[in-house]
């Protein structure tokens, strides 16, 4: 039986912590997103070590996965919640205009356009909401 490398353990712990932390923010248990250095501290590693390890294990910087998980949560809320886009932005600790810019940067469309496509049924029936599993 092959044991998981320390790098894989750190990376998996990081991704799991992101999921839990984003959910804590959305549920109001935390008021803002932690910075990567704070997450590294939670995992008992340095910011530099976390960045190097995640980059080596997954091919991208930790911030990339952080943003992708926030986008996945935003899509989930846009699909399953009756909340306005402004309220979703606030749940995710964004000003509505900055949220729109952030969402468009990573998806190529505004949250409103994304939601309209969902309502019209022009997106595939299975929108990938959770993009990274452990």
């Amino acid at each position: 039986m092959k044991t998981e490398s320390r790098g894989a353990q750190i990376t998996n712990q990081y991704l799991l912590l992101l999921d839990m932390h984003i959910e804590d923010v959305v549920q109001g248990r935390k008021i803002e997103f932690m910075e990567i250095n704070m997450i590294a501290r939670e995992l008992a590693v340095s910011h530099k070590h976390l960045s190097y390890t995640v980059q080596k294990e997954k091919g991208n910087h930790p911030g990339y996965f952080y943003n992708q998980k926030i986008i996945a949560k935003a899509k989930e809320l846009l699909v399953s919640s009756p909340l306005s886009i402004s309220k979703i932005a606030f749940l995710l600790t964004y000003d509505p205009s900055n949220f729109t810019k952030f969402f468009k940067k990573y998806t190529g469309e505004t949250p409103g356009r994304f939601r309209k496509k969902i309502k019209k049924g022009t997106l595939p029936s299975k929108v990938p909401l959770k993009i990274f599993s452990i």
Side-chain angles (χ1 to χ4, degrees):
M1 180 178 203
K2 187 176 177 183
T3 58
E4 190 176 47
S5 72
R6 180 66 180 135
Q9 288 174 350
I10 291 169
T11 300
N12 289 338
Q13 289 172 342
Y14 171 70
L15 295 173
L16 183 61
L17 182 70
L18 285 182
D19 287 335
M20 292 186 309
H21 179 59
I22 290 168
E23 193 60 33
D24 283 346
V25 170
V26 169
Q27 295 299 322
R29 293 185 292 262
K30 301 280 183 178
I31 59 170
E32 60 186 16
F33 287 117
M34 291 192 295
E35 294 178 13
I36 302 278
N37 63 345
M38 296 166 71
I39 293 171
R41 230 177 291 134
E42 288 276 324
L43 297 174
V45 297
S46 71
H47 177 259
K48 189 174 182 177
H49 185 66
L50 177 65
S51 295
Y52 171 80
T53 301
V54 172
Q55 178 79 36
K56 183 178 176 206
E57 289 290 322
K58 295 288 188 183
N60 282 303
H61 186 274
Y64 169 82
F65 297 103
Y66 208 160
N67 289 336
Q68 291 301 315
K69 285 181 173 283
I70 292 170
I71 290 295
K73 179 51 92 173
K75 285 180 175 182
E76 180 182 322
L77 291 168
L78 288 164
V79 169
S80 65
S81 168
L83 295 173
S84 70
I85 292 168
S86 292
K87 290 208 184 281
I88 290 171
F90 287 124
L91 275 178
L92 295 170
T93 73
Y94 284 88
D95 168 86
S97 67
N98 288 335
F99 173 67
T100 297
K101 290 174 193 170
F102 172 75
F103 191 90
K104 187 172 183 177
K105 177 181 177 182
Y106 288 97
T107 66
E109 60 191 353
T110 65
R113 185 171 178 95
F114 175 82
R115 188 175 252 177
K116 281 180 187 171
K117 282 184 176 181
I118 294 293
K119 287 182 180 177
K120 286 182 178 179
T122 57
L123 283 180
S125 60
K126 187 127 181 153
V127 176
L129 301 176
K130 297 289 183 184
I131 55 171
F132 304 106
S133 59
I134 297 176

